[in-house]
């Protein structure tokens, strides 16, 4: 059934919201859990379709997984790994499942994983992952759309990444946990999710130094050093940034809990330049507010700690009604302006030339029927619907469900008029229908 949001825009968001565990961290932690024989418990696991897909991948390898949604925990018992294959049917649903390649190489020294192919936002190649594994001594064949990697032993080596790729850094960290000797990844990605994965791997007995800098050293350890453990995922900085954009865009005021503000320095700085107020309440809580029309800013998306590409679409939505002209340069992906045609349909004035977008602020957006083409573009359209005058329908919510847990519920708690419905449950803003439409 096609799920949609109906949003009546123009409400000022106020109140409190708590941020869930980081999607882009937890997916890797779940995969990494198969390295340690026995029961590993991951806490702060959000309820997302991407998490379910990763659990399906792991279950097919023979691990036993229990998702305790009430306590936001997952128990992975990987005592027996009986398969080394990640099927195309699963990998094609979520390219992050390609991370299982490094985990399987660590645990089994062999893996057969479907190649993810391109996706809507860009080509998204995996050549650095493959080249890095070969440098560690794996023999790799690509056949029938699958990567078949095998190694009698993996030997630590120096690996230089052309781009600080998040996925390649993670796959290579995973693969070298039990390699002979030390592996040094140069020009490594520095994202908080990389640090989280390294911390988890160190918790299960690995020896990884330098995560969070551009040189990560993985000193290979013997298999008997690796043991299962309990670990708590970091908060989702992109979910936090999305709520901050929604509050600022509606000129509201809200407390955002369970956030690591240091993970959002660049984004926070841009919001402050635009006229938002951000106050630190305690180390994991901020208050964000905005009274007046925002000012335009320019920004370029960059690997961490630069402006995050995953918040580019939300920032673009804010620029659509800001005072002046803002220029966005998207430097990570070839096609990450998927929100532009629908924002234009809502009245935005955006000129796009390849990876540049020039956004001239208009006084107001107006509600329209729009389609979530990908996860972050979809979230940005929800934010646009909250800002716009009148009614917005956002279709194809399965994209948004990949990365936002109970998005409509959390927004309603802040006072947004948003309801979830499908063709059978007509959306309405009165509270009983909201309950009926919610899931
Ligand atoms: N690249 C290559 N070759 C490679 C690997 C990457 O050319 O072997 C290129 C990609 O094509 C891309 C750039 O390098 O243009 C960066 O890709 P990266 O590998 O860093 O990204 P990723 O690991 O595929 C993760 C997040 C993305 C986020 C990026 C950048 C997960 C599951 N995904 O992707 O998140 O945009 O890092 O920060 O961690 C999202 O959550 O909406 C999302 C797309």
């Amino acid at each position: 059934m096609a799920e949609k949001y109906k949003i009546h825009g123009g409400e000022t968001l106020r109140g409190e919201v708590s941020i869930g565990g980081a999607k882009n961290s937890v997916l890797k932690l779940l995969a990494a859990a198969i390295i340690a024989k026995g029961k590993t418990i991951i806490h702060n696991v959000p309820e997302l379709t991407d998490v379910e897909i990763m659990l399906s991948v792991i279950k097919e390898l023979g691990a036993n997984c229990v998702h305790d949604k009430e306590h936001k925990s997952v128990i992975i018992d990987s005592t027996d790994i009986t398969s080394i294959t990640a099927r195309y049917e699963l990998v094609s649903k979520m390219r992050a499942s390609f991370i299982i390649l490094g985990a399987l190489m660590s645990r089994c020294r062999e893996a057969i994983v479907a190649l993810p192919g391109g996706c809507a936002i860009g080509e998204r190649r995996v050549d650095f992952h493959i080249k890095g594994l070969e440098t560690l001594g794996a023999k790799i064949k690509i056949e029938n759309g699958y990567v078949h990697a095998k190694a009698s032993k993996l030997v630590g080596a120096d690996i230089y990444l052309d781009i600080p790729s998040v996925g390649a850094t993670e796959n290579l960290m995973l693969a070298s946990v039990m390699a002979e000797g030390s592996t040094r990844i140069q020009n490594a990605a520095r994202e908080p999710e990389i640090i989280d994965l390294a911390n988890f791997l160190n918790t299960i007995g690995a020896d990884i130094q330098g995560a969070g800098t551009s040189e990560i050293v993985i000193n290979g350890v013997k298999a008997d050093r690796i043991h299962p453990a309990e670990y708590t995922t970091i908060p989702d900085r992109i979910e936090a940034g999305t709520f901050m954009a929604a509050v600022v865009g509606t000129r509201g005021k809200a407390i955002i809990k369970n956030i690591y503000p240091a993970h959002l320095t660049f984004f926070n700085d841009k919001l402050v330049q635009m006229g938002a107020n951000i106050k630190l309440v305690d180390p994991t809580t901020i208050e964000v507010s905005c009274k007046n029309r925002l000012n335009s800013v320019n920004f370029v998306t960059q690997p961490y700690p630069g402006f995050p590409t995953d918040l580019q679409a939300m920032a673009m939505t804010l620029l659509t009604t800001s005072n002046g002209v803002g220029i966005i340069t998207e430097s990570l992906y070839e096609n990450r302006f998927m929100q532009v045609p629908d924002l234009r349909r809502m009245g935005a004035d955006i000129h796009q030339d390849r990876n540049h977008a020039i956004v001239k602020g208009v006084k107001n957006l107006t509600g329209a029927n729009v389609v979530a083409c990908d996860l972050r573009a979809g979230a940005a359209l929800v934010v646009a619907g909250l800002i716009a005058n009148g009614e917005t329908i956002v279709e194809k919510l399965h994209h948004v469900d990949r990365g936002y847990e109970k998005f409509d519920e959390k927004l309603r708690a802040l006072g947004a008029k948003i309801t979830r419905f499908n063709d059978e449950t007509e959306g309405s803003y009165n509270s009983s229908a909201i309950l009926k439409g919610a899931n």
Side-chain angles (χ1 to χ4, degrees):
M1 193 79 64
E3 299 279 318
K4 305 171 192 179
Y5 283 145
K6 183 186 278 192
I7 303 165
H8 189 85
E11 298 297 321
T12 299
L13 299 195
R14 287 181 193 284
E16 221 177 81
V17 64
S18 184
I19 301 305
K23 166 182 87 79
N24 288 346
S25 197
V26 82
L27 296 173
K28 325 301 169 55
L29 301 179
L30 295 172
I34 70 153
I35 295 181
K37 284 184 189 163
K39 274 190 192 170
T40 284
I41 306 177
I42 310 285
H43 299 291
N44 202 23
V45 177
E47 252 181 79
L48 302 171
T49 44
D50 275 12
V51 166
E52 295 311 317
I53 296 169
M54 185 56 87
L55 290 176
S56 303
V57 170
I58 299 169
K59 280 180 196 163
E60 287 199 4
L61 303 178
N64 198 357
C65 304
V66 179
H67 191 170
D68 175 353
K69 292 183 179 164
E70 197 191 330
H71 298 101
K72 298 196 174 301
S73 298
V74 171
I75 305 169
I76 297 153
D77 184 348
S78 60
T79 308
D80 298 311
I81 294 297
T82 51
S83 160
I84 51 158
T85 302
R87 287 184 299 127
Y88 178 68
E89 289 69 17
L90 289 174
V91 180
S92 62
K93 278 191 197 157
M94 183 189 69
R95 41 178 309 116
S97 27
F98 195 65
I99 204 69
I100 207 68
L101 178 62
L104 277 168
M105 286 307 285
S106 219
R107 170 81 187 253
C108 309
R109 299 279 183 268
E110 187 172 3
I112 303 175
V113 178
L115 273 167
C119 84
I121 60 174
E123 197 185 345
R124 304 188 76 181
R125 298 178 62 192
V126 288
D127 48 331
F128 308 151
H129 306 230
I130 308 279
K131 205 174 115 207
L133 283 177
E134 282 175 337
T135 309
L136 294 173
K139 295 273 171 282
I140 298 197
K141 277 197 258 169
I142 297 187
E143 275 173 350
N144 309 114
Y146 280 75
V147 177
H148 187 169
K150 199 172 177 177
S152 51
K153 63 175 182 179
L154 291 166
V155 181
D158 281 1
I159 299 169
Y160 178 82
L161 298 178
D162 288 1
I163 297 173
S165 154
V166 173
T169 304
E170 292 166 337
N171 247 334
L172 297 171
M173 253 167 40
L174 288 165
S176 39
V177 163
M178 289 178 274
E180 263 181 41
S182 296
T183 298
R184 190 191 346 213
I185 307 174
Q186 285 173 299
N187 199 26
R190 291 184 281 164
E191 271 69 3
E193 294 76 20
I194 302 281
I195 303 178
D196 209 28
L197 178 60
N199 286 344
F200 169 74
L201 290 171
N202 285 340
T203 307
I204 66 169
D207 179 1
I208 301 177
Q209 315 290 330
T213 74
S214 51
E215 182 172 300
I216 301 179
V217 176
I218 305 109
N219 299 309
V221 297
K222 295 257 182 287
D224 60 11
R225 279 270 308 270
I226 301 294
H227 51 80
E230 256 185 84
Y231 190 82
T232 301
T233 317
I234 55 168
D236 195 311
R237 62 195 166 100
I238 308 301
E239 186 195 8
T242 305
F243 276 99
M244 289 168 77
V247 172
V248 167
T250 60
R251 299 190 197 170
K253 182 175 184 175
I255 296 283
I256 304 193
K257 294 166 96 171
N258 193 27
I259 172 177
Y260 288 168
H263 291 175
L264 279 152
T265 313
F266 217 104
F267 183 69
N268 291 355
D269 193 54
K270 282 290 160 189
L271 285 186
V272 170
Q273 278 179 41
M274 292 175 88
N277 296 305
I278 301 173
K279 275 199 257 168
L280 190 67
V281 176
D282 67 41
T284 58
T285 309
I286 59 165
E287 183 192 79
V288 59
S289 64
C290 180
K291 279 197 187 127
N292 303 313
R293 188 179 182 195
L294 294 166
N295 301 312
S296 290
V297 287
N298 302 332
F299 66 90
V300 181
T301 65
Q302 280 176 332
Y304 191 86
F307 192 100
T309 172
D310 295 343
L311 286 171
Q312 173 261 111
M314 296 62 166
M316 177 185 278
T317 294
L318 294 182
L319 288 179
T320 61
T321 54
S322 293
N323 193 14
V325 177
I327 303 173
I328 304 175
T329 301
E330 169 57 58
S331 72
L332 272 96
Y333 294 113
E334 301 88 345
N335 188 25
R336 218 180 192 186
F337 287 141
M338 306 239 296
Q339 69 280 11
V340 167
D342 276 326
L343 285 176
R344 282 196 192 120
R345 295 186 57 252
M346 297 177 77
D349 182 348
I350 305 170
H351 175 78
Q352 188 195 330
D353 183 7
R354 285 162 297 170
N355 66 329
H356 303 287
I358 301 168
V359 188
K360 192 170 166 205
V362 295
K363 268 253 152 75
N364 295 111
L365 296 180
T366 51
N369 273 50
V370 295
V371 178
C373 301
D374 85 354
L375 166 58
R376 305 303 174 188
L381 292 173
V382 172
V383 175
L386 296 168
I387 294 173
N389 290 335
E391 188 167 281
T392 294
I393 306 286
V394 184
E395 296 187 26
K396 296 207 175 164
L397 289 191
H398 59 276
H399 288 296
V400 180
D401 292 341
R402 292 187 41 213
Y404 293 88
E405 179 183 37
K406 300 188 168 82
F407 198 22
D408 54 329
E409 250 180 75
K410 289 185 178 182
L411 286 168
R412 273 199 299 279
L414 290 172
K417 285 193 173 163
I418 177 169
T419 183
R420 186 177 175 118
F421 70 106
N422 55 45
D423 295 333
E424 276 182 7
T425 59
E426 181 59 24
S428 154
Y429 306 111
N430 70 51
S431 54
S432 60
I434 283 172
L435 287 175
K436 195 174 136 209
N439 81 2

